[in-house]
Amino acid sequence: MDGAEPLVELEGATVRFGAFTALDGVDFRMFPGEVHSLMGENGAGKSTLIKAITGVLPLDEGSLTLAGESVQFATPHAAQAAGVSTVYQEVDLLPNLSVAENIWLGREPRRFGLIDNAAMRRQASEVLDGLGLDIDPASILGSHSLAVQQLVAIARAISTDLRVLVLDEPTSSLDTDEVAELFRVIRDLKQRGVAILFVSHFLDQVYEICDRVTVLRDGALVGEYLTTELLRIDLVQKMLGRDVAEFATRERVVEPDLPPDPFLSARGITSAPGIVDADIDVAEGEVLGLAGLLGSGRTELARALTGIDRPQSGIIRIEKSEVRLESPRHALQIGVVYSSENRRTEGLLPELSILENIVLAVQAQQGAMRRIPLARQRELAMSWIDALGIRPSDPDRKVGTLSGGNQQKVMLARLLALSPRVLVLDEPTRGIDVGAKVEIQNLVGELADNGLAVIFISAELEEVLRVGDRVAILREGRVAETLTADSLNPDTLLALVAQPDLPEA
Amino acid sequence: MRILRHRLFWPAAALVTLLVVNTIANPNFARITIRDGQLYGNPITILRDSAPLMLVALGMTLVIATRGIDLSVGAIMAVSGAVALTIIDDSPNPGSVGTVVVAVIVAVVVGLVLGVWNGFLVSVIGIQPIIATLVLMLAGRGVALLITGGEITTVNSAPYKFIASGYLIILPIAFFIWVAAVVVVSMLERRTALGMLTESVGINPEASRLAGVRSRGIIWSAYIASGVLAGIAGVIYASNTMAADANSAGYLIELYAILAVVLGGTSLMGGKFSIAGTVIGVMTVQALEKAILFLGVPPAQAPVFFAVVVVVVVLLQAPRVHAWGRAAGRRMGVGAKPRTDDRKEVAA
Amino acid sequence: MSATDATTTTSSASGAGAKGMIGTFTSRYASVLPTFAAITILIALLAGAEIYFGNFLTGRNMSALLLDNAYLMVLAVGMTFVIVTAGIDLSVGSVMAFTGIFGASLFASGVPFVIVIPVMLLSGVAIGLLIGVLVQYFNVQPFIASLAGLFLGRGLAYVVSLQSIRVEDPVLLWLGSTRFTLGDFYIAPTGVIALLTVIVGALVMHFTRFGRTVYAVGGSEQSARLMGLNVARTKVMVYVISGLCGGLAGLVLTAYTGSGYPRNGIGTELDVIAVVVIGGTLLSGGRGYVLGSMIGVFVFGTINTIINFMGAEQSWTHIIVGALLLLFIVVQRAIVARSDRSR
């Protein structure tokens, strides 16, 4: 197939958001009748690249060619008109309208100026039949499962002159049968010569359906490979990369073997979506690293352990006594705190001051009526600003004006001010500069040395190994193994993280 | 230049401008006279007449800070006024202070109960605030009409009339009531942590939940406060007219209150709020009303002016207009100076 | 429901299994259920009143039901368009008052109806256009933008006149007082206008691309935009339509009462919102029917008539309508919560 002309060709694509370069001179191509996968961790630039192809974002530099012609899509609709359609994970259709309308909206068949509903349903039926789908075109879209809605979105796409179909994480909330149905449709489209971009973090699926893989890391191109020629472990290594920044390996105080009595112990945690029967132990003075690919359930596990989401089943014990974490508030009360990976949407209050952001959780625990005296608030905030080195050290400055690293420290300060016993950190070093990163890593070590039980989540395996005493490896929502950090090196950890799961017995 | 950046600068400037224009247009506007040791004149009337709107706007400020809105305040006013007057009317001794005290307490408690109801619908059932409070806005006046038996109950009770038109030392009682309410609400919000937690819930409910903030209680308390304050406002309004008019008591006051809150610089998107701003906003609305009157416009036609004010205020807040302003500034070479920009991002 | 489940549901439906038919029905028409609830309530009210009073379901009564609420029906059609896009229009009552008094004053100064009636409709359109532009192009919340419209309409009504103005124009009087009779039933031209508005509204909503875009915008504005639908024009248009209906309602009410009055329609916006919601339109947008809103108007009118019959306080109407509104909102909330879970 390599002899064929590429249908889509992106050359030197660069997209910037202010000072931040999200996509840096990336070359990318797609061939007709081929399924292409785009791989990379969070922030690698996958979604930016998709948006650049589908007309959501303009290119700052570089060129886009479609079937040999240079094109520029001003809107997603312009891209659709040229035959480039996208189906998102969160289906961008209208759940309140019928399946037939969702397929034909904006292009409805009309008679005497009025919409001909019968003809529209008939034509919708034809499109759906063509895909081998038996869906009632008159039914309301919202009454169907997400899987069916995605198939309808594909039906809408192919009802135009479809040349390129982008599927952005289509399988992340589908079950096995639904994925099989989707793959059947994808293979069918492949036969018709459509170029398909399939983005998924499930390696098994990528290897099953894709012919070609492009790997991105930190907004730059790592390379383009044929799936058949790229070993799974090599793919993961290319995605995660090797970052040789200087970190002090931390002195380990605790015996790194499985501690005799874990401070927090979770058994059989199952939480939809994403976590199945997970067991986790973490002792005081220990950092437990959580390693896993994107979509392995890292965040879901952290949220289930800290009362953010209530797990369907499973037992959490703290100091051997069983606890039910009813709410984040309840978890904070018993000293289990969670720092979200999304500082912006689930963490900081940008319009409030550093001081207010730091004292917020302590104050919330105290209750609204018992205000911490202002002097005490200031003292508390200043002590954390000093301890964590938050810059600028002005407690009255609005948090929205701080850099990412300092915002992260404010988040930590808020939680540490509660004197927690279990600290769960979800990607605390993502999107911050190297200096702040090292500071936070060292801080995590110190906190553990002071007797905290820490669970540390990171996409960077080196970081997990450096900070963690033990490492729990997550694969597809299960804790596959828990090993001491000393017994692992980045290569062996990589192998474990990337290993395909054996089919269930 | 620091003062220019203070969030209350523009609301205050608008108020001062309005007062100055009024005074220039009619020097009588600012005249204050002393009769029997009591102050009279337009500024005093504004201070007195703003009591109902001030109380309602105070409660509205808290509700808006939680990303909510309370449309039922006018209806609550009608109910509480009707309750107070009906109690006095039915009592054998309408002139006694005891009767009036009971009537006022019951009326305010009714406001509280209605506030609890609104808060329950919003924070527990999870109905959109506009819709939840619409129910009471619709049904409330019906209830008020039932209480008064569909008639305009007129009452004669000196102690009750005193609430709205009496004087304490040299200033009207109604003025002292709203000042007290402002002080109590400010203390409650700023001396406890209620204000900060309210702002945090308004800015980001999910982040607040993760920080352990009990947002349900905080949202609920805002609607309760709004109900209580509307109850007091209803008592004052009824005392002013001495007639329980279920249809016109508090008519459109929810809209004027929202306008006053927005004029005071509190965003309808919730979050940061300013009680001082609301006080300025209410004064602005009242001064505008007086100004319109002074222009010889019949009060009934005043809404046209308020429509213009609403449009101007929302346009000044619209992002598109800001963009036009910046573009115009650049063309004229004034430019948005980098001074404001470099404050934004302070690196580590 | 997985893809395979969907298959079985539809195939068993064609097999005429009772369960499958219910499945097909709910998957097609679940959004009609609130309207059915409103119809059920209406029938129950009418039947109950007939049993209680014995002389309720008369032609005269039913004809009056339509005629007395003709203006409400016209307003409800416009409001349905707005609410289906997840907007709200508080200005309708005062727009109706303004266009009514404006028209009456023009008639009084001898302007012929061929000019007056278009002017009335266009003044409604102008206020609607102002609201729509504020909402769409200046990101003003519909609540606030239409609040400005409310103030404007009410103020302008008083600018036209502080008192009511009688109308002597023969055409307008014909509109309001002519009676076409059929046995005990009768209808006036204003009633015909109201019914025509409902029919045209329903046709536009269901059989034009604009109408379907109204639903699309209410379902998800962003998705509608991604599909290349003209969201901006649609959002402005629904407020224009609501303004037009406001103008038409002004005409209908002026013809019905034979005069213009600046205090007309105070609080009517709430009645209109209530009848639209009771008729099965979701305030969160995306679902609703013009015909449902008509049912809502009849429910409202029937409650009013029953209370009249009982000689009870008129204020009970609003209390009962408020309670019904609450009931519908809670039920809607439950429906939305359930569909959120099932997704």
Side-chain angles (χ1 to χ4, degrees):
Chain A
M1 248 185 268
D2 243 76
E5 280 293 303
L7 183 60
V8 175
E9 207 163 5
L10 198 60
E11 281 179 334
T14 300
V15 175
R16 296 189 194 90
F17 298 108
F20 172 66
T21 306
L23 207 57
D24 192 2
V26 171
D27 296 336
F28 175 75
R29 50 191 196 147
M30 289 171 71
F31 293 91
E34 204 178 85
V35 183
H36 195 129
S37 181
L38 196 54
M39 301 294 290
E41 273 285 320
N42 273 336
K46 286 176 299 184
S47 50
T48 311
L49 190 146
I50 292 174
K51 285 175 181 167
I53 297 177
T54 54
V56 179
L57 281 173
L59 285 175
D60 288 316
E61 275 166 40
S63 65
L64 175 62
T65 353
L66 181 66
E69 279 174 49
S70 177
V71 286
Q72 267 182 319
F73 300 131
T75 62
H77 192 235
Q80 280 166 32
V84 181
S85 284
T86 317
V87 174
Y88 293 97
Q89 176 190 357
E90 293 295 321
V91 182
D92 267 319
L93 293 183
L94 299 156
N96 58 324
L97 296 182
S98 73
V99 168
E101 283 179 305
N102 270 291
I103 294 175
W104 292 111
L105 210 60
R107 312 172 264 131
E108 299 95 337
R110 287 191 287 193
R111 268 172 71 197
F112 316 117
L114 295 182
I115 294 173
D116 184 347
N117 281 314
M120 183 165 73
R121 277 201 288 276
R122 201 170 51 243
Q123 293 175 10
S125 266
E126 284 162 15
V127 175
L128 292 168
D129 286 349
L131 286 174
L133 301 170
D134 184 5
I135 303 171
D136 175 10
S139 58
I140 299 296
L141 185 75
S143 69
H144 293 293
S145 68
L146 207 57
V148 173
Q149 296 189 24
Q150 270 173 352
L151 295 171
V152 172
I154 294 175
R156 177 178 171 89
I158 62 166
S159 66
T160 59
D161 180 22
L162 180 70
R163 293 195 281 180
V164 180
L165 179 63
V166 178
L167 297 163
D168 189 3
E169 306 215 0
T171 55
S172 42
S173 30
L174 306 193
D175 65 28
T176 326
D177 292 345
E178 292 168 338
V179 170
E181 179 79 357
L182 177 69
F183 281 9
R184 188 185 60 71
V185 171
I186 291 178
R187 291 198 181 96
D188 181 37
L189 294 178
K190 206 173 127 171
Q191 292 299 315
R192 304 191 198 178
V194 176
I196 296 159
L197 178 55
F198 178 83
V199 179
S200 169
H201 44 248
F202 297 118
L203 291 185
D204 292 345
Q205 294 177 2
V206 169
Y207 274 87
E208 186 183 340
I209 195 84
C210 296
D211 305 299
R212 199 181 289 266
V213 181
T214 292
V215 181
L216 296 180
R217 190 169 65 237
D218 295 331
L221 178 70
V222 175
E224 187 206 83
Y225 315 89
L226 289 176
T227 325
T228 47
E229 293 170 3
L230 182 67
L231 285 178
R232 190 183 259 269
I233 180 126
D234 292 334
L235 171 59
V236 174
Q237 186 179 343
K238 288 178 197 310
M239 283 162 58
L240 299 185
R242 284 296 166 76
D243 166 356
V244 266
E246 290 302 313
F247 300 109
T249 306
R250 132 174 141 82
E251 294 273 323
R252 297 209 155 82
V253 186
V254 193
E255 279 299 302
D257 298 321
L258 181 68
D261 27 68
F263 183 74
L264 180 147
S265 162
R267 288 286 172 276
I269 301 292
T270 299
S271 174
I275 290 294
V276 188
D277 201 16
D279 297 347
I280 283 284
D281 288 300
V282 57
E284 285 179 313
E286 180 195 40
V287 179
L288 174 71
L290 276 191
L293 295 175
L294 188 62
S296 61
R298 308 182 297 220
T299 298
E300 290 79 359
L301 180 56
R303 290 172 69 99
L305 288 176
T306 51
I308 314 291
D309 299 332
R310 234 186 283 177
Q312 272 94 7
S313 62
I315 297 169
I316 298 172
R317 289 195 189 82
I318 287 179
E319 287 186 308
K320 294 200 176 128
S321 56
E322 190 177 331
V323 290
R324 291 183 61 84
L325 301 172
E326 303 288 340
S327 63
R329 179 182 173 77
H330 182 215
L332 297 178
Q333 232 157 28
I334 55 179
V336 179
V337 306
Y338 169 69
S339 155
S340 166
E341 60 180 332
N342 278 317
R343 286 194 299 273
R344 214 171 284 266
T345 55
E346 296 182 344
L348 294 166
L349 302 161
E351 291 139 61
L352 295 187
S353 67
I354 296 179
L355 182 145
E356 288 170 313
N357 269 283
I358 291 178
V359 301
L360 179 68
V362 180
Q363 182 65 67
Q365 287 296 321
Q366 287 244 339
M369 285 305 142
R370 294 172 50 214
R371 189 178 68 149
I372 305 163
L374 267 188
R376 173 83 191 98
Q377 286 189 20
R378 196 155 283 270
E379 194 185 315
L380 187 73
M382 281 315 294
S383 69
W384 286 109
I385 289 173
D386 287 345
L388 303 187
I390 295 169
R391 293 285 170 275
S393 57
D394 170 9
D396 297 318
R397 180 177 296 270
K398 286 197 178 135
V399 159
T401 65
L402 301 185
S403 70
N406 281 299
Q407 289 188 345
Q408 190 62 50
K409 289 182 192 169
V410 172
M411 267 305 294
L412 279 175
R414 175 195 292 169
L415 299 173
L416 294 174
L418 288 164
S419 319
R421 298 190 291 173
V422 179
L423 181 61
V424 181
L425 300 174
D426 194 353
E427 298 214 39
T429 58
R430 197 213 299 177
I432 65 180
D433 62 83
V434 177
K437 203 168 188 169
V438 176
E439 280 183 73
I440 284 173
Q441 291 174 354
N442 291 341
L443 176 72
V444 169
E446 283 168 35
L447 290 169
D449 293 346
N450 287 330
L452 253 75
V454 183
I455 296 177
F456 185 91
I457 300 173
S458 174
E460 290 175 37
L461 300 181
E462 280 85 355
E463 191 179 51
V464 173
L465 285 177
R466 191 158 292 118
V467 178
D469 298 306
R470 291 184 304 130
V471 178
I473 293 134
L474 277 174
R475 278 197 308 259
E476 320 231 327
R478 293 163 196 278
V479 178
E481 263 171 289
T482 308
L483 300 164
T484 62
D486 291 343
S487 66
L488 292 164
N489 61 40
D491 290 318
T492 51
L493 180 55
L494 189 63
L496 286 169
V497 164
Q499 195 180 70
D501 268 321
L502 299 172
E504 281 174 60
Chain B
M1 288 308 278
R2 249 190 102 81
I3 191 168
L4 275 178
R5 256 185 255 120
H6 195 280
R7 52 193 303 221
L8 291 184
F9 176 79
W10 291 110
L15 175 59
V16 170
T17 313
L18 196 59
L19 293 177
V20 168
V21 168
N22 274 348
T23 314
I24 293 171
N26 188 338
N28 275 335
F29 182 81
R31 176 176 300 166
I32 297 177
T33 54
I34 302 181
R35 258 184 285 146
D36 310 330
Q38 295 175 347
L39 297 178
Y40 289 90
N42 277 308
I44 305 299
T45 316
I46 291 181
L47 289 183
R48 192 192 70 196
D49 290 352
S50 44
L53 182 60
M54 185 68 76
L55 295 168
V56 166
L58 268 181
M60 191 70 81
T61 310
L62 304 182
V63 171
I64 286 178
T66 65
R67 287 192 176 185
I69 206 147
D70 186 351
L71 297 183
S72 69
V73 284
I76 294 179
M77 272 178 72
V79 174
S80 90
V83 166
L85 286 176
T86 309
I87 290 176
I88 293 172
D89 191 40
D90 291 350
S91 96
N93 189 1
S96 91
V97 176
T99 308
V100 171
V101 169
V102 170
V104 169
I105 289 176
V106 173
V108 174
V109 168
V110 167
L112 179 119
V113 170
L114 297 178
V116 169
W117 165 255
N118 279 334
F120 172 77
L121 291 183
V122 173
S123 66
V124 180
I125 309 280
I127 300 174
Q128 275 169 277
I130 287 198
I131 313 310
T133 54
L134 182 68
V135 172
L136 199 51
M137 186 186 192
L138 196 65
R141 285 188 193 279
V143 173
L145 278 166
L146 275 191
I147 293 171
T148 60
E151 290 150 29
I152 298 180
T153 314
T154 326
V155 173
N156 233 331
S157 166
Y160 190 66
K161 192 170 171 53
F162 189 71
I163 297 174
S165 41
Y167 270 70
L168 190 68
I169 319 174
I170 54 167
L171 288 166
I173 294 270
F175 168 68
F176 287 107
I177 293 177
W178 75 249
V179 170
V182 168
V183 170
V184 168
V185 170
S186 308
M187 298 281 264
L188 205 61
E189 294 296 318
R190 300 301 179 193
R191 289 285 146 162
T192 71
L194 208 53
M196 183 182 88
L197 296 180
T198 303
E199 290 181 343
S200 88
V201 170
I203 293 171
N204 188 337
E206 182 60 10
S208 305
R209 185 177 84 94
L210 262 57
V213 178
R214 257 190 295 212
S215 49
R216 177 178 294 181
I218 286 172
I219 293 172
W220 203 339
S221 73
Y223 286 90
I224 294 174
S226 178
V228 169
L229 289 164
I232 302 174
V235 167
I236 297 176
Y237 181 89
S239 156
N240 207 10
T241 56
M242 289 311 279
D245 184 347
N247 283 317
S248 61
Y251 172 63
L252 284 188
I253 199 166
E254 53 281 344
L255 305 181
Y256 287 103
I258 293 166
L259 178 61
V261 172
V262 174
L263 281 174
T266 298
S267 160
L268 280 171
M269 303 305 291
K272 291 292 256 185
F273 67 92
S274 162
I275 289 172
T278 297
V279 172
I280 293 176
V282 170
M283 288 298 153
T284 310
V285 171
Q286 292 287 337
L288 187 64
E289 214 164 16
K290 272 273 175 298
I292 293 167
L293 213 65
F294 260 67
L295 290 171
V297 178
Q301 296 171 3
V304 179
F305 291 82
F306 282 103
V308 174
V309 172
V310 172
V311 170
V312 169
V313 169
V314 295
L315 286 186
L316 286 177
Q317 290 182 354
R320 184 178 286 250
V321 175
H322 287 185
W324 288 345
R326 277 194 297 277
R330 270 197 299 279
R331 268 199 305 280
M332 290 166 66
V334 195
K337 295 187 195 98
R339 189 201 295 145
T340 47
D341 290 347
D342 65 12
R343 289 164 58 89
K344 251 187 207 152
E345 196 76 25
V346 178
Chain C
M1 227 204 298
S2 70
T4 43
D5 282 346
T7 317
T8 49
T9 312
T10 42
S11 57
S12 65
S14 50
K19 206 177 159 197
M21 268 168 74
I22 293 167
T24 309
F25 181 82
T26 52
S27 72
R28 286 187 180 185
Y29 305 113
S31 61
V32 191
L33 288 178
T35 307
F36 277 139
I39 294 175
T40 313
I41 288 175
L42 178 61
I43 292 171
L45 279 173
L46 290 173
E50 176 61 25
I51 292 165
Y52 189 81
F53 300 113
N55 58 345
F56 194 83
L57 285 177
T58 60
R60 255 176 60 95
N61 243 343
M62 294 304 99
S63 307
L65 190 62
L66 172 64
L67 211 56
D68 293 347
N69 296 293
Y71 74 96
L72 198 61
M73 200 176 283
V74 173
L75 292 178
V77 172
M79 186 69 87
T80 308
F81 277 84
V82 174
I83 293 184
V84 169
T85 65
I88 201 146
D89 187 354
L90 297 179
S91 73
V92 292
S94 65
V95 168
M96 175 177 76
F98 165 55
T99 55
I101 191 84
F102 190 34
S105 87
L106 290 179
F107 277 127
S109 47
V111 182
F113 76 93
V114 286
I115 296 177
V116 177
I117 292 176
V119 166
M120 287 174 82
L121 299 183
L122 283 178
S123 16
V125 165
I127 295 181
L129 183 66
L130 170 77
I131 298 172
V133 167
L134 284 177
V135 169
Q136 177 56 34
Y137 294 103
F138 296 97
N139 287 327
V140 181
Q141 293 166 12
F143 177 79
I144 301 296
S146 62
L147 168 62
L150 182 158
F151 278 144
L152 188 65
R154 186 61 63 194
L156 288 175
Y158 285 115
V159 168
V160 173
S161 166
L162 294 171
Q163 278 89 40
S164 79
I165 300 175
R166 281 195 59 77
V167 178
E168 314 282 356
D169 186 272
V171 173
L172 200 78
L173 294 181
W174 177 83
L175 280 178
S177 51
T178 311
R179 297 282 185 273
F180 308 115
T181 52
L182 181 73
D184 266 356
F185 290 87
Y186 64 84
I187 190 167
T190 50
V192 176
I193 290 176
L195 290 179
L196 279 178
T197 311
V198 169
I199 291 167
V200 171
L203 286 177
V204 168
M205 278 292 237
H206 293 279
F207 294 100
T208 66
R209 285 188 181 170
F210 166 73
R212 300 324 287 169
T213 309
V214 169
Y215 282 93
V217 169
S220 163
E221 207 178 312
Q222 197 199 344
S223 297
R225 200 170 287 129
L226 278 174
M227 286 182 171
L229 304 177
N230 196 335
V231 174
R233 195 190 61 195
T234 306
K235 277 178 70 187
V236 175
M237 271 306 287
V238 293
Y239 291 96
V240 169
I241 288 175
S242 182
L244 177 67
C245 287
L248 195 57
L251 177 70
V252 167
L253 189 65
T254 309
Y256 175 70
T257 59
S259 64
Y261 184 45
R263 289 180 65 87
N264 272 338
I266 287 179
T268 299
E269 56 280 349
L270 299 182
D271 295 343
V272 176
I273 294 169
V275 301
V276 169
V277 171
I278 290 172
T281 299
L282 235 59
L283 277 160
S284 44
R287 284 187 200 171
Y289 301 94
V290 169
L291 290 173
S293 298
M294 182 180 77
I295 302 294
V297 171
F298 284 135
V299 170
F300 181 90
T302 306
I303 292 173
N304 230 334
T305 316
I306 290 175
I307 284 164
N308 260 335
F309 259 62
M310 293 173 69
E313 288 290 343
Q314 206 58 62
S315 44
W316 277 107
T317 309
H318 279 120
I319 298 176
I320 294 169
V321 169
L324 266 183
L325 181 65
L326 178 68
L327 181 76
F328 271 77
I329 288 166
V330 171
V331 169
Q332 287 184 359
R333 168 84 199 145
I335 292 171
V336 171
R338 216 188 55 191
S339 67
D340 280 355
R341 257 205 310 284
S342 73
R343 283 192 71 188

